[in-house]
Amino acid sequence: MHKRQSLQRSAGPRGRAARARGAGVRDRARGTMVGMQASAEEILDGLDDAQRRAATSVEGPVRIIACAGAGKTRTITRRIAYACATGAWRPGATLAVTFSVKAANEMRERIAALGVDGVHVATFHSAALAQLREVWNELCEGPFPQLAERRGDLVAQACVRALNREPERRAAHDIEREIDWCKVSLIAPDDYGRVCAATRREPPAQLDVRRFIDVYRQYELEKTARLQIDFNDILLMCAHVLDAFPETAAHIRERIGWLTVDEYQDVSPLQHRLLRGWLGDNRRICVVGDPAQTIYSFAGATSYYLDDFAREFAPLAANIELSRDYRSTPPVVALANRVLSRSPERDGYLRLRAVRGGGPRVTSMIYGTDAEEARAVAAAIRRIVERGGRAADCAVLTRINGQQAVLVRALREAGVPYQVRRDAGWQQSAVADMPPADMSAIDDAAGARAGRATVSTIHASKGLEFKHVFLVGLSDGLMPFHASDDPTTLEEERRVLYVGVTRAEDALHLSYARRMNEESGFVRDVSRFLQ
Ligand SMILES: Nc1ncnc2c1ncn2[C@@H]1O[C@H](COP(=O)(O)OP(=O)(O)OP(=O)(O)O)[C@@H](O)[C@H]1O
């Protein structure tokens, strides 16, 4: 009992789940069944044929590839509830893994709304952390290490030791990111040189390979000396326990009889290794993902495992595609398909089919300066509100955090209440008891209640939907960012645009400004993805 509680606790208090409700957040299981076990048939109510097939394929291994707006969350929550309600699965041995605490809370709430209790829903990190804490005393003498909260200090100290100097702020940040990339990619310091040589990877902060390796090593030593672990160590340590301690591994695996992994297109080699450790010989796994929404490759995520799943886990019990887009109007769907249709990798992406009809055409505007663009967007949202719409149904999406200041100013001047969602980083929102890297990433539900428009990076808007979406800054250099010619980077940028476009339910407004401000001599051109 105690063990189960610790897993549940780690995934965040229920109050957060309750707060996560609200417009702008994905739909939740609707109906009147809260707290009451729904019948198996009721659970499948409102699913289309393909979704139903996915929900009733309760034996593993199952892969579900779903396009944006295809009801992934709806389908996997119903699948879990259906399997538990029919007695095929034991809720207490069911683990569902998501990428953020917010998504975990939402999924838990939706499963509970279908009347099924006791399913563990967690992020990779919170599940692994709870497992480690539980088995720690059996395996180790000392106290459980602390999660490093001031990673900048660790990096600075590592630089002092390895380079005899403190790094500049930007350099420290880049070094930290590279260390994270190495760890999620399972690249130890000794292997880094070979990887750079083979892939032409450049170390960060203008360090040569040797120097970066020294910093990486010193970072690990400094962390250990402080009895601390970082975010990635949680997964590394858990994977190690599963590999090296068979009895402990068997105990952990007892409660992972059925495993579901959401957003599988963004799994890292490290997460994949942990997943294999969780499974052992068990094949009762279901993964869900969309290769077109891989937007964290730069940080070590890869859609390789989603693509390779049919081979890795052959033979599959079911391999299902969900390509009906329930979210967006046909003009939005047409644009999303157009963005992907020009990709050299288009064959690997699903083509969306709009279920809804009608909808206004997608608008495109070019403004003189960023401030003009921001004022026009703020005025448009104000008009929506004056005509009876809700500010909470509006989102302004940017490529980078740095674009948001001018938008926020314009919204304030126009009297439009707003909230800002910044990039907290790919995995920074994955552990409930760890502070997000960026404390300005605010609770979206509070904003939704107050009827505030959302200003968000596209990355931070993943999984959300809004009636009116304003995609700003769509000039080459911002989208794609830096206008890199590297095909892999370009492809990721294309997917970022696709994720932005597909957040829109009803109306989508595209825009960019020709110049940053009146003084700027540089004239921008429209994004190559929209030409
Ligand atoms: N069978 C269905 N009938 C009606 N509406 C549906 C159906 N399936 C999904 N939807 C609606 O479509 C929208 C998208 O669903 P959901 O958020 O689960 O999609 P998703 O696949 O997780 O999206 P994304 O990957 O783009 O974030 C939601 O508003 C949901 O209620």
Side-chain angles (χ1 to χ4, degrees):
M1 194 58 207
H2 166 74
K3 289 165 190 169
R4 201 169 93 192
Q5 278 172 350
S6 68
L7 258 179
Q8 286 174 333
R9 232 191 347 260
S10 71
R14 278 203 58 77
R16 279 172 75 111
R19 285 204 309 275
R21 291 178 196 171
V25 180
R26 289 182 201 229
D27 82 315
R28 51 196 175 271
R30 297 194 177 96
T32 53
M33 299 182 285
V34 180
M36 212 168 76
Q37 170 93 53
S39 76
E41 255 322 297
E42 276 174 320
I43 288 171
L44 300 179
D45 235 20
L47 297 184
D48 67 29
D49 287 350
Q51 291 172 332
R52 190 174 257 262
R53 199 155 69 78
T56 52
S57 299
V58 295
E59 299 299 326
V62 170
R63 176 173 72 172
I64 304 169
I65 294 196
C67 67
K72 278 195 290 291
T73 315
R74 174 185 282 234
T75 304
I76 52 172
T77 47
R78 305 290 181 100
R79 182 174 183 271
I80 292 168
Y82 177 80
C84 292
T86 53
W89 301 3
R90 273 184 297 117
T94 298
L95 174 63
V97 183
T98 64
F99 269 78
S100 68
V101 171
K102 186 179 144 297
N105 289 337
E106 194 204 337
M107 195 185 289
R108 192 176 312 110
E109 182 182 282
R110 284 168 73 156
I111 295 170
L114 293 164
V116 173
D117 289 324
V119 170
H120 302 159
V121 187
T123 62
F124 273 101
H125 292 81
S126 58
L129 185 60
Q131 290 162 2
L132 277 178
R133 282 196 168 131
E134 194 186 311
V135 301
W136 189 260
N137 291 338
E138 272 168 44
L139 303 178
C140 299
E141 299 269 299
F144 192 81
Q146 277 199 329
L147 286 169
E149 285 184 14
R150 301 167 65 93
R151 298 199 46 221
D153 286 359
L154 286 172
V155 172
Q157 189 58 35
C159 288
V160 169
R161 294 247 155 84
L163 313 171
N164 286 321
R165 60 178 153 85
E166 290 242 2
E168 304 269 317
R169 202 162 149 251
R170 181 80 229 170
H173 176 259
D174 291 349
I175 291 170
E176 186 178 321
R177 290 236 315 224
E178 187 72 352
I179 292 174
D180 283 342
W181 178 82
C182 288
K183 293 176 78 165
V184 303
S185 308
L186 298 173
I187 297 165
D190 284 345
D191 301 327
Y192 185 74
R194 276 193 296 281
V195 171
C196 286
T199 62
R200 300 213 183 132
R201 192 175 178 89
E202 295 280 335
Q206 285 162 349
L207 295 176
D208 63 33
V209 168
R210 267 266 52 86
R211 295 260 163 151
F212 174 75
I213 293 172
D214 289 345
V215 175
Y216 183 3
R217 280 212 185 91
Q218 289 298 335
Y219 168 88
E220 292 297 322
L221 289 173
E222 181 65 25
K223 187 160 52 65
T224 310
R226 294 183 189 192
L227 294 181
Q228 291 182 346
I229 53 173
D230 67 20
F231 218 56
N232 297 307
D233 293 329
I234 298 170
L235 306 193
L236 282 165
M237 286 161 59
C238 193
H240 175 68
V241 167
L242 290 160
D243 279 351
F245 301 94
E247 269 181 45
T248 312
H251 172 71
I252 291 174
R253 287 180 192 133
E254 265 169 31
R255 276 162 298 138
I256 312 182
W258 294 271
L259 178 62
T260 304
V261 186
D262 194 11
E263 306 274 12
Y264 197 63
Q265 77 284 346
D266 271 335
V267 100
S268 68
L270 171 55
Q271 286 167 328
H272 178 259
R273 178 172 162 211
L274 175 62
L275 177 147
R276 293 304 307 233
W278 278 341
L279 285 176
D281 304 331
N282 180 358
R283 288 170 46 79
R284 291 176 297 220
I285 177 173
C286 170
V287 299
V288 193
D290 179 2
Q293 292 188 66
T294 307
I295 56 172
Y296 288 104
S297 322
F298 70 91
T302 166
S303 59
Y304 171 81
Y305 301 109
L306 179 63
D307 293 340
D308 191 51
F309 187 83
R311 189 202 57 79
E312 184 183 1
F313 287 93
L316 299 192
N319 193 10
I320 291 160
E321 287 187 353
L322 305 178
S323 62
R324 302 181 61 172
D325 180 347
Y326 285 92
R327 173 180 296 142
S328 306
T329 51
V332 175
V333 169
L335 179 69
N337 280 332
R338 190 152 71 88
V339 168
L340 293 187
S341 69
R342 297 172 179 177
S343 156
E345 296 185 19
R346 59 186 169 274
D347 291 347
Y349 303 141
L350 284 187
R351 200 178 159 73
L352 308 183
R353 289 181 294 142
V355 173
R356 300 179 56 189
R361 67 180 179 84
V362 175
T363 66
S364 304
M365 294 296 289
I366 304 172
Y367 297 97
T369 62
D370 287 352
E372 276 177 36
E373 181 185 28
R375 281 196 296 271
V377 167
I381 296 178
R382 204 192 147 114
R383 275 197 301 279
I384 290 170
V385 174
E386 283 167 357
R387 289 179 194 153
R390 293 169 4 120
D393 288 332
C394 302
V396 189
L397 304 185
T398 63
R399 172 63 187 83
I400 56 170
N401 291 328
Q403 290 170 267
Q404 295 176 353
V406 64
L407 290 160
V408 159
R409 201 173 316 124
L411 288 166
R412 204 180 301 131
E413 281 167 13
V416 175
Y418 64 87
Q419 58 171 335
V420 177
R421 293 177 67 86
R422 283 163 169 268
D423 255 348
W426 170 37
Q427 305 193 44
Q428 299 304 321
S429 55
V431 176
D433 51 3
M434 222 178 163
D438 185 341
M439 293 305 287
S440 59
I442 68 163
D443 178 354
D444 57 320
R449 267 203 307 276
R452 297 188 210 163
T454 295
V455 178
S456 174
T457 60
I458 297 174
H459 283 87
S461 76
K462 199 155 180 249
L464 304 184
E465 57 189 18
F466 302 89
K467 282 195 184 339
H468 309 273
V469 167
F470 295 82
L471 264 175
V472 299
L474 296 176
S475 57
D476 235 46
L478 271 173
M479 177 64 74
F481 188 50
H482 283 331
S484 156
D485 282 332
D486 168 52
T488 316
T489 313
L490 259 187
E491 196 53 26
E492 178 127 318
E493 293 291 309
R494 190 193 312 275
R495 293 189 296 256
V496 172
L497 177 58
Y498 172 80
V499 169
V501 167
T502 54
R503 298 311 93 200
E505 293 177 67
D506 296 354
L508 178 62
H509 307 280
L510 314 176
S511 61
Y512 76 96
R514 280 201 158 280
R515 289 185 297 155
M516 191 200 288
N517 51 39
E518 303 286 356
E519 289 76 47
S520 162
F522 180 71
V523 178
R524 299 157 170 162
D525 203 356
V526 66
S527 166
R528 68 189 74 181
F529 299 140
L530 298 170
Q531 279 170 17

